[in-house]
Amino acid sequence: MNWGLTSVSVVRGGGTILEEATLKVSAGEIVAVVGGDGSGKSTLLGVLVGRLGPSAGVARTPARSRIGFLPASSGVYPDLTVLENLRFAAAAYGMPPALAADRIWALLDRTGLTPAAHRLGGRLSGGMRQKLGVARALVHEPDLLILDEPTTGVDPVSRSDVWWLITRETARGCAVVFSTTYLDEAERAGHVVVLQAGRVLTQGPPDGIVAAIPGEVRLFPTRPVGPFVWRRGRSWRVWREDGTGDGTVVRPDLQDAVVLAALRRAAGESLDRTETPR
Amino acid sequence: MWAMIVKEFRQMRRDRRTLAMMIVMPVLLLIVFGYAASFDVTSIPVRVVGVHAAEVAGRLPAPFEVTAIASAEDRSDATRALRDGVVPVVVVADADAVTVLLDGSELFTANAARAALARAGAPQVEVLFNPDLRTSAVMVPGLAGMILLFVGTVITSLGVVRERQTGTLEQLAVMPLRPRDVFLGKIAPYFLVAALDLTVVVAAGTLLFGVPFHGSLLVLALGAVLFLFVTLGTGVLISSVSQNQGQAIQLAMMTLLPQVLLSGLIFPLRSMPLGVRWIGYLLPLTYFTQISRGVMLRGAPLTTLWQPFLYLTLLGVAVVTFAMLRFRAFLAPQGARRARRRGVLALAAGSKP
């Protein structure tokens, strides 16, 4: 089953928050929505989850009962225990108690939260709370899992645990759409949608986005002169469309591709050649 | 220090509700205490019954105002008129004696009437329903309403706004729960706690303070249920327009204070100017106080309390409907509902929304 958005725009208070966004996700696939603060990631997820109505375009989603959602705030009740949080979610999704109990204990086991089962949500560490949030979104075995920045502020070990949970669900056939500001994390997805100021900057498989960069990316130890220059760590990179000039030619990665796409959009260049709509 | 003062002023300017409260509250208190806060009863409606009713009615001094003369009625009719809350004072002018009956559940009116009658050298005076004119007897039934108001409005508004602050209301919004389920599920525990509070207050009032309970428990319970719906609805309404618990408390206090002062719980409605009294008539505590005092002290049946019951029902329907709509708007924003109606959000074939 395919879910997603087709040319969805969201206009609020006279301003366009999301413009002509298209996104498709199939069963067992992971789609990353990448963008900076205010780029429209949460709005896009809000339309997908049914919280926001699109001003134009079509959102194709499963029934509410088949969607799992993790809000940016984790959505964990601080004054309920881990177990009570999961039990409430299971009951809200109408799961039979016996089935819910099996599923809850399996998820607690997978997330490593079994020893904290009777601890209050408010007394969990950030990573544990986020894992509980993901477990709660998964308790009813949804067809579409939507995660708003699931690993922001989470330690590396917990991030790894969250990813293990997510990939396990995709093996079951669950479609996953998540937003992130981490490009290394986006590379785990089969398809990446890059948003900037409410518009899709570029999208496609991570390798495809990188491969679609025309010309060459060159590395400089000091800031070179010219347009399309950005910093990576201690060095500088520059993009030359004609493939000429000084510097060492480097193989660009997703981060280079996204930064370059943003620079080219800012320069008013057409991005038709790098976009790979699906 | 100057930087601190400037920062505080900037924050204060942007917190419009606190600013409004700081300006509105003193004005409100001034109006309430200036016009409404009065224990002086300047006019007492009185019904005169018995064979010499017309003759006695003409001799009644101020502040008594004769509202009806019924020569054919007797003492039992007079008692019924008091019980039903028709008037607070009835003069029974029989062939052999003149007796003035006072409704003790209207404490300040009864006190004023007794003092006026004593000055006029009146004949026999009998106080019914609260013979010793004890303050606790009239305060406990009113206090029950105040407690229901506190739990229903203040605590409920905090409970709902807490969900908004922790981000869990957003989670509820995407769950397959109807707004009605969330609304009722949210208020049900507060409803039960408030009902328990009411039971404790009424039991303590009768057992510890000797407050009489002459009427039907069922009628009081029915009045309490209606009143609770209004207060719980107000609580949800407040939470739906508040961004945090501080704002919710401010708004709840702004609804609580006028009810305590203008409902007749402390200051008699009769001694308020008409304009201020009308504000009291829009407040649910006014009607619950009438019901609780009527049932507990006077043993008034449902048939004679139909007016406060009717007004409470109307207020309940209005407040709960408005609260439900606000709640629904938050859980399923209009844009999303409209989009679903016109099919912009296409659902998978065979799936239920």
Side-chain angles (χ1 to χ4, degrees), chain A residues 51 57 59 61 63-64 71 77 136, chain B residues 163 171 173 330 333 344-346 352:
Chain A
R51 280 284 290 140
T61 61
R64 270 184 166 198
Y77 284 99
R136 199 213 46 245
Chain B
E163 292 247 22
Q171 182 67 42
F330 181 78
V344 174
L345 285 170
K352 290 176 188 169

Side-chain angles (χ1 to χ4, degrees), chain A residues 3 12 47 49-55 57-65 69 71 73 75-79 88-89 92-93 136, chain B residues 162-163 166-168 170-177 330-333 335-336 339-340 342-349 351-353:
Chain A
W3 318 112
R12 289 286 183 276
V47 175
V49 86
R51 280 284 290 140
L52 290 172
S55 310
V58 175
R60 186 175 171 78
T61 61
R64 270 184 166 198
S65 57
F69 177 56
S73 59
V76 166
Y77 284 99
D79 42 5
F88 167 67
Y93 282 98
R136 199 213 46 245
Chain B
R162 197 170 52 218
E163 292 247 22
T166 53
T168 46
E170 195 184 357
Q171 182 67 42
L172 286 179
V174 300
M175 285 179 164
L177 298 167
F330 181 78
L331 288 178
R340 277 187 187 278
R342 63 170 199 257
V344 174
L345 285 170
L347 294 169
S351 60
K352 290 176 188 169

Side-chain angles (χ1 to χ4, degrees), chain B residues 249-272:
Chain B
I249 287 184
Q250 284 173 13
L251 278 175
M253 291 311 290
M254 285 181 87
T255 64
L256 212 71
L257 201 63
Q259 301 217 57
V260 172
L261 296 174
L262 302 178
S263 64
L265 175 72
I266 298 170
F267 306 109
L269 276 171
R270 218 181 289 283
S271 56
M272 294 177 198

Side-chain angles (χ1 to χ4, degrees), chain A residues 82-94:
Chain A
V82 168
L83 203 54
E84 287 165 345
N85 266 287
L86 294 174
R87 279 182 183 153
F88 167 67
Y93 282 98

